[in-house]
């Protein structure tokens, strides 16, 4: 059932050398690939910014051989970098959008003295406008929707959601947060530390305790890896369960996502497109407890499945908050149509 999904595999320096591509790749690309494979860099925005920074360094160090078009020389190098990053870990929707934007810009450039500077400007503009400025504006808009005495439930860690909550706290709005979390990544602990550092009242709860805290929650705020054209939201595994439980309890579910994460793909389940994480993370037990699944590979007929994402159906989402305003999930195709008209299709 899941054989078609990209599987987690160990990537180290020795493996990169054995693959035979190390000599042809710039060092920053190798470093980023290893970081992605090890899972020490997570989050759609963080991964996208890191990849674009590698592109920037590749362009800076690029030296064109005279007499050929800029794109024809640079494209093979960019393609090799992208292929290596995909080998280390599948690209996120946001990374795919950035790649399309950069490669479209490369195709328009000719061999001229200003070509490199123009491309560097395109990369910098994407980071500043589509990610940083969009995230800042989104945080300001979403923070206004947190009212006095609200109890906001969030799940795991999202840099966008963290920015919204911290912006609301900085504005002096009195509210509390419930951080739901789940193994194996336990990313909610990072969110909890950020909130406590800002003196925001917070409670930490395991995902299976969600039904006990929902009665006092006034709204749910979640991040997203992607928002699809049918209004479905691709997010960290467990997000759909949170949205479904909140919807059943008649608690509004708000999703914070920049429009560059919008994608024309339609998805109805979490099986067609997904990513498999490291199964050994499911084996590790906190607090030094005995790992009952230790040695699972030697057990005939046993397999461990660690899905990285799930698909949140549109009917569980009350509103998607973006840098261009708050929209219902049914209006996602409108944003995508506007992006096509502006030539900024993700």
């Amino acid at each position: 059932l899941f054989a078609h999904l990209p599987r987690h595999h160990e990537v180290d320096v020795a493996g990169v050398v054995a693959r035979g591509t190390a000599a042809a790749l710039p060092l920053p690309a190798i470093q980023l690939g290893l970081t992605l494979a090890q899972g020490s860099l997570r989050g759609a925005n963080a991964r996208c910014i890191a990849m674009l920074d590698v592109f920037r360094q590749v362009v800076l160090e690029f030296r064109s051989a005279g007499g050929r078009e800029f794109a024809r020389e640079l494209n093979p190098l960019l393609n090799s970098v992208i292929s290596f990053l995909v080998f280390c870990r599948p690209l996120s929707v946001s990374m795919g959008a950035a790649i399309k934007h950069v490669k479209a810009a490369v195709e328009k450039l000719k061999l001229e003295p200003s070509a490199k500077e123009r491309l560097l400007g395109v990369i910098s503009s994407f980071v500043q406008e589509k990610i940083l400025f969009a995230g800042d504006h989104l945080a300001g808009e979403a923070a206004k929707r947190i009212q006095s005495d609200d109890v906001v439930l969030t799940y795991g860690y999202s840099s966008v959601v963290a920015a919204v909550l911290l912006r609301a706290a900085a504005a002096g709005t009195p509210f509390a947060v419930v951080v739901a979390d789940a193994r194996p990544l336990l990313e909610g602990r990072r969110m909890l530390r950020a909130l406590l550092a800002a003196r925001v009242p917070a409670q930490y709860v395991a995902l299976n305790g969600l039904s006990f805290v929902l009665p006092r929650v006034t709204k749910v705020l979640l991040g997203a890896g992607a928002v699809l054209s049918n209004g479905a939201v691709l997010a960290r595994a467990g997000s759909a369960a949170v949205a479904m439980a909140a919807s059943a309890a008649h608690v509004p579910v708000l999703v914070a996502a920049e429009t560059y994460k919008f994608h024309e793909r339609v998805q109805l389940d979490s099986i067609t497109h997904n990513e498999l994480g490291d199964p050994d993370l499911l084996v590790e037990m906190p607090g030094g407890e005995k790992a009952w699944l230790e040695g699972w590979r030697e057990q005939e007929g046993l397999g461990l499945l660690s899905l990285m994402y799930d698909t949140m159906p549109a009917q569980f989402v009350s509103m998607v908050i973006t840098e261009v305003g708050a929209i219902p999930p049914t209006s996602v195709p409108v944003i995508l149509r506007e992006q096509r008209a502006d030539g900024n299709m993700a």
Side-chain angles (χ1 to χ4, degrees), residues 233-255:
V233 177
L234 195 67
R236 178 67 64 199
S239 299
V242 173
M244 182 175 63
S247 179
H250 305 290
V251 178
V253 177
L254 311 179
V255 172

Side-chain angles (χ1 to χ4, degrees), residues 77-228:
L77 180 56
L78 285 178
N79 288 338
S80 64
V81 170
I82 294 167
S83 297
F84 176 70
L85 295 181
V86 172
F87 167 73
C88 293
R89 183 180 175 184
L91 301 177
S92 65
V93 166
S94 57
M95 294 169 77
I99 289 172
K100 288 181 180 180
H101 187 80
V102 171
K103 297 199 77 173
V106 171
E107 293 296 335
K108 297 177 182 177
L109 297 176
K110 302 296 182 181
L111 184 59
E112 56 185 47
S114 62
K116 181 181 293 190
E117 288 71 21
R118 288 170 59 191
L119 184 56
L120 290 172
V122 168
I123 295 173
S124 297
S125 294
F126 190 94
V127 174
Q128 292 296 325
E129 296 174 11
K130 300 291 185 179
I131 305 178
L132 300 181
F133 175 78
D136 183 70
H137 192 70
L138 184 160
E141 289 297 315
K144 297 174 184 177
R145 299 181 180 274
I146 298 179
Q147 302 170 345
S148 296
D149 301 322
D150 262 348
V151 178
V152 182
L153 172 71
T154 189
Y155 173 69
Y157 181 85
S158 162
S159 60
V160 178
V161 172
V164 172
L165 297 175
L166 295 179
R167 180 73 65 87
T173 306
F175 69 99
V177 180
V178 177
V179 180
D181 205 5
R183 294 184 63 241
L185 299 179
L186 295 173
E187 293 178 304
R189 295 180 179 182
R190 181 181 175 186
M191 178 70 78
L192 186 66
R193 286 193 293 268
L195 293 172
L196 294 180
R199 300 186 180 277
V200 178
Q203 181 182 8
Y204 185 79
V205 63
L207 187 60
N208 57 0
L210 201 60
S211 59
F212 293 96
V213 298
L214 272 175
R216 66 185 187 88
V217 170
T218 57
K219 54 176 60 82
V220 173
L221 182 61
L222 301 172
V227 182
L228 308 181

